[in-house]
Amino acid sequence: MTKTITRRGVLVGAAASAAVSSNSLTSANASRPKTHEVRITQFKFEPDVVVVEVGDIIRWSNLDLAPHTATETSFGWDTGEIAKGMSKETVVTEDMGTRYFCAFHPHMKGTITIKL
Amino acid sequence: MKKTISVIAISAALCAFQASAQDVADLNDLEMAHVAYTADNIDIRYAHMALALSSNPEIHAFANTMISDHTAVNEAALGLLDKLGATAQDNFFSQALNDGAEQVINNFSNLRGVEFDIAYAANELAYHQTVNDLVEHTMIPNIDNDEVRALFQQGLEIFKIHEGHAEMMVKELTE
């Protein structure tokens, strides 16, 4: 679990926290729900693990040319096709399946960790 | 026996353009764009055939991916050509590709069930390997326009994923 922090990782992290703080400004004093951004780029979900709470929103944005999906492993939930440059969202529920893949490119996998 | 025949037909279809890689290097950007567009459309045709002839859900899933990905690449290519105010140019190699595809499709039409599935998967693997090799080593180094080259690179990234996916499919079907 020791992961080298790359320069790129730090930059992405900084961008992500900037996005979160602007988000919390626009949503005034409501701290929930939080939106978690997952970028789909070069046939990967980034980050491949998102840590969320029930009621939060996960938004997948496709930066690839090819269309993708985020589909629960046993097809419990599914964003449907996310075309190039498009985003789809899903609301985190307590009983949702937490492992997902791209139905078009099954080697692409992601995990949702729900904090209790 | 039929399996042997289908493999021979596929190899014959692919041989036609392996031999002419040197000539492909001499194509201009608009001819290369036409080759890529043709190759995409051929794979979409194969996929529609697979949807019609196979009842294997894995084959259907793969074929649907081929349709959506190759359509996306073709739309991007047409968008770029439009932006550049250019039109793709038909050429000897696009025609050779189409002729090869006719042979493969004729061969597919005689196959059913697992025989079809194996032939389709094997053809997808061979087709993507051959076209990827050509795109990476012959076409991309000879493209003049930066935007056209960038699009080919993006396409190659997608088609390499397809190649890996087809490889797994062949393994599963022949195990």
Side-chain angles (χ1 to χ4, degrees):
Chain A
M1 214 35 227
T2 48
K3 208 171 164 187
T4 317
I5 297 170
T6 61
R7 185 180 159 77
R8 183 156 177 262
V10 173
L11 287 174
V12 170
S17 54
V20 167
S21 53
S22 71
N23 194 26
S24 56
L25 281 176
T26 50
S27 61
N29 48 12
S31 59
R32 295 277 160 223
K34 227 182 204 170
T35 298
H36 304 266
E37 305 283 351
V38 179
R39 293 150 38 102
I40 306 176
T41 173
Q42 295 188 304
F43 291 80
K44 286 190 187 77
F45 294 107
E46 283 185 2
D48 60 348
V49 179
V50 272
V51 182
V52 300
E53 288 182 39
V54 172
D56 284 358
I57 294 161
I58 305 171
R59 177 158 59 220
W60 287 272
S61 300
N62 182 11
L63 308 183
D64 275 346
L65 186 54
H68 294 295
T69 76
T71 304
E72 197 262 323
T73 307
S74 44
F75 300 93
W77 53 266
D78 185 1
T79 59
E81 183 175 314
I82 313 170
K84 176 184 76 161
M86 302 298 284
S87 298
K88 291 272 178 84
E89 296 179 352
T90 197
V91 177
V92 176
T93 57
E94 216 170 324
D95 58 349
M96 77 190 292
T98 52
R99 291 172 56 214
Y100 69 92
F101 71 121
C102 168
F104 296 149
H105 312 99
H107 71 284
M108 294 170 58
K109 292 185 174 110
T111 306
I112 298 164
T113 301
I114 304 177
K115 281 193 284 186
L116 296 174
Chain B
M1 189 61 187
K2 268 187 188 163
K3 196 170 138 193
T4 319
I5 295 168
S6 65
V7 170
I8 291 168
I10 290 163
S11 320
L14 293 173
C15 266
F17 56 91
Q18 275 167 340
S20 53
Q22 190 48 52
D23 301 319
V24 172
D26 297 331
L27 296 178
N28 68 41
D29 284 10
L30 294 176
E31 287 170 328
M32 289 210 202
H34 195 282
V35 167
Y37 190 75
T38 303
D40 280 326
N41 278 331
I42 287 171
D43 207 53
I44 291 169
R45 284 177 70 194
Y46 293 156
H48 280 291
M49 203 147 181
L51 292 177
L53 292 181
S54 176
S55 49
N56 181 326
E58 301 272 324
I59 295 277
H60 276 235
F62 182 86
N64 280 320
T65 297
M66 293 309 108
I67 293 171
S68 56
D69 285 2
H70 287 282
T71 303
V73 174
N74 269 355
E75 278 171 8
L78 289 179
L80 177 57
L81 287 171
D82 197 39
K83 186 186 148 196
L84 298 173
T87 311
Q89 286 170 7
D90 195 7
N91 58 85
F92 82 95
F93 193 66
S94 293
Q95 288 155 17
L97 277 178
N98 276 327
D99 291 346
E102 288 307 321
Q103 286 183 46
V104 172
I105 284 172
N106 281 341
N107 176 58
F108 279 169
S109 64
N110 298 318
L111 303 174
R112 293 293 181 273
V114 179
E115 269 181 353
F116 172 84
D117 295 345
I118 291 173
Y120 174 69
N123 183 59
E124 283 302 297
L125 177 57
Y127 188 64
H128 280 91
Q129 276 171 341
T130 309
V131 174
N132 287 351
D133 184 60
L134 199 66
V135 167
E136 185 170 9
H137 301 295
T138 305
M139 297 172 86
I140 289 176
N142 288 293
I143 292 171
D144 296 321
N145 183 286
D146 289 344
E147 285 179 279
V148 173
R149 193 183 317 107
L151 184 58
F152 266 74
Q153 276 157 345
Q154 271 184 291
L156 180 62
E157 182 182 89
I158 298 174
F159 308 148
K160 281 190 167 173
I161 301 279
H162 293 173
E163 187 181 321
H165 195 160
E167 203 171 348
M168 270 169 40
M169 210 165 55
V170 168
K171 237 180 239 168
E172 278 168 25
L173 284 165
T174 51
E175 248 167 25

